[in-house]
C-alpha cells in the first residue's frame, strides 16, 4: 500500500521536485517499507522521535542511504537531538533559533543547511518569519557562516478553499523569486518547500521544488 501510494504521488511530480516522506507518528516498519519502495528522504517534526528513529535505523544498519529533514518547531535546547542526524532543517522559524543553529554548527565545525519558515497562513500557525524579517536575515547572511540558506518553507492556511491556499502559495512563490533576484550570489538558495498531502497539486502549480507528504503515503496518523 505504501508502495502504491508512493507510485501514485511520484507520477504527479514534475522532474526535479523532491518528495519528502513525512513519517511522524508512524512506526519504523512504515519507514522501512517506504525505503524498500525507493524513498530516501524522510521528515519528522518532533526531536525525540527523530533521534530515536534515526539512531535505531543506524544501529540496525537498515536504510543506509536514508536522509532526514526536520520540519517541526525546534526549541534550542533540543538542537543536539536533531542536528547530528539531519541534512536539512526546514523549519527555522525565528532569529533566536537561527542563531542557535549557527552556534551549534560553529562548535561542530559544520555548515547546517536550512530553510527559513515563512509565516504565510492567515491565522493558525504563529510560527515563522514575516517577509521583512526574512529579508533582514538574508541581508546579514554573512553573520551566519555556519548555516547554508537553501530556501523557504511554508504552510498554507488550512482551508478547503483552493483560492485561499493558492493565494498563500502564490505569495511565498513571489517572495522566493524576489529573494533570488535580490541575492543572485546565493546560488544555493534554490528550494521552495510547499505542499502537503491535501494541497501539493496547488503547490506544484506555484513552483514547489519540495513537497512534504505524510498522510497520502502512510495513511492517517494516530496521535
Ligand atoms: C505533518 C506535516 C506535513 C505532512 O502533512 P500531511 O498532511 O500528512 O501530508 C508536512 N509539513 C509539515 C510541516 C508537517 O508538520
Amino acid at each position: 500500500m505504501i508502495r502504491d501510494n508512493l507510485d501514485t504521488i511520484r507520477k504527479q511530480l514534475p522532474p526535479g521536485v523532491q518528495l519528502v516522506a513525512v513519517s511522524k507518528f508512524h512506526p519504523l516498519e512504515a519507514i522501512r517499507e517506504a525505503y524498500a519502495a525507493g524513498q530516501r528522504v524522510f521528515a519528522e517534526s518532533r526531536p525525540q522521535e527523530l533521534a530515536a528513529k534515526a539512531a535505531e535505523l543506524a544501529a540496525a544498519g537498515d536504510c543506509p542511504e536514508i536522509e532526514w529533514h526536520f520540519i517541526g518547531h525546534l526549541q534550542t535546547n533540543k538542537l543536539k537531538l536533531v542536528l547530528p542526524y539531519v541534512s536539512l532543517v526546514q523549519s527555522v522559524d525565528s532569529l533566536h533559533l537561527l542563531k542557535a543553529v549557527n552556534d551549534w554548527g560553529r562548535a561542530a565545525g559544520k555548515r547546517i543547511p536550512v530553510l527559513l519558515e515563512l509565516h504565510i497562513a492567515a491565522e493558525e500557525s504563529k510560527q515563522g518569519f514575516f517577509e521583512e524579517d526574512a529579508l533582514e536575515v538574508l541581508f546579514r547572511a554573512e553573520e551566519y557562516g555556519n548555516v547554508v540558506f537553501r530556501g523557504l518553507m511554508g504552510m498554507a492556511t488550512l482551508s478547503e478553499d483552493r483560492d485561499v491556499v493558492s493565494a498563500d502559495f502564490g505569495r511565498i512563490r513571489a517572495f522566493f523569486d524576489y529573494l533570488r533576484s535580490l541575492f543572485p550570489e546565493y546560488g544555493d538558495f534554490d528550494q521552495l518547500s510547499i505542499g502537503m498531502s491535501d494541497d501539493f497539486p496547488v503547490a506544484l502549480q506555484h513552483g514547489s521544488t519540495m513537497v512534504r507528504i505524510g498522510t497520502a503515503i502512510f495513511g492517517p496518523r494516530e496521535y
Side-chain angles (χ1 to χ4, degrees):
M1 183 185 105
I2 287 177
R3 180 180 293 270
D4 297 338
N5 293 342
L6 283 167
D7 284 346
T8 305
I9 295 162
R10 284 182 190 132
K11 285 198 190 97
Q12 300 173 65
L13 300 181
V17 173
Q18 187 167 46
L19 173 57
V20 178
V22 178
S23 50
K24 65 190 185 193
F25 293 91
H26 292 286
L28 283 184
E29 272 326 299
I31 295 173
R32 290 195 178 97
E33 207 178 318
Y35 187 91
Q39 182 63 30
R40 290 295 177 266
V41 183
F42 293 81
E44 293 281 336
S45 61
R46 298 186 300 174
Q48 257 98 1
E49 186 175 352
L50 169 78
K53 284 173 166 172
E56 195 173 335
L57 287 178
D62 286 351
C63 311
E65 294 171 15
I66 199 166
E67 228 186 276
W68 294 100
H69 291 181
F70 193 76
I71 59 172
H73 182 56
L74 184 53
Q75 286 172 318
T76 53
N77 62 352
K78 300 283 167 62
L79 288 187
K80 58 185 180 297
L81 287 174
V82 168
L83 296 186
Y85 295 108
V86 296
S87 62
L88 182 66
V89 182
Q90 294 205 15
S91 46
V92 171
D93 57 7
S94 72
L95 206 52
H96 179 64
L97 175 59
L98 177 64
K99 286 179 174 156
V101 170
N102 189 57
D103 289 345
W104 193 93
R106 190 185 308 118
K110 290 192 201 172
R111 296 186 76 205
I112 315 294
V114 305
L115 304 182
L116 297 178
E117 180 175 349
L118 230 60
H119 182 93
I120 56 169
E123 72 301 325
E124 50 290 307
S125 158
K126 291 179 193 66
Q127 250 86 270
F129 285 92
F130 290 98
E131 290 184 1
E132 58 271 31
D133 301 323
L135 193 58
E136 182 75 17
V137 164
L138 291 175
F139 271 119
R140 298 163 168 268
E142 75 284 352
E143 293 175 17
Y144 306 99
N146 289 89
V147 159
V148 186
F149 294 101
R150 291 302 316 271
L152 301 178
M153 188 270 255
M155 273 181 284
T157 307
L158 264 180
S159 166
E160 302 283 303
D161 186 345
R162 253 182 99 96
D163 292 343
V164 171
V165 172
S166 187
D168 288 344
F169 287 151
R171 271 198 311 280
I172 192 171
R173 168 59 194 272
F175 185 57
F176 178 65
D177 288 346
Y178 171 64
L179 293 176
R180 299 216 332 139
S181 68
L182 207 54
F183 304 105
E185 67 274 27
Y186 305 151
D188 290 335
F189 195 88
D190 59 3
Q191 296 299 315
L192 180 60
S193 175
I194 51 174
M196 316 191 345
S197 293
D198 288 336
D199 59 19
F200 78 89
V202 185
L204 292 173
Q205 290 172 350
H206 290 285
S208 172
T209 69
M210 199 178 262
V211 292
R212 311 175 310 272
I213 300 189
T215 311
I217 297 172
F218 298 109
R221 289 179 283 274
E222 286 175 28
Y223 293 103

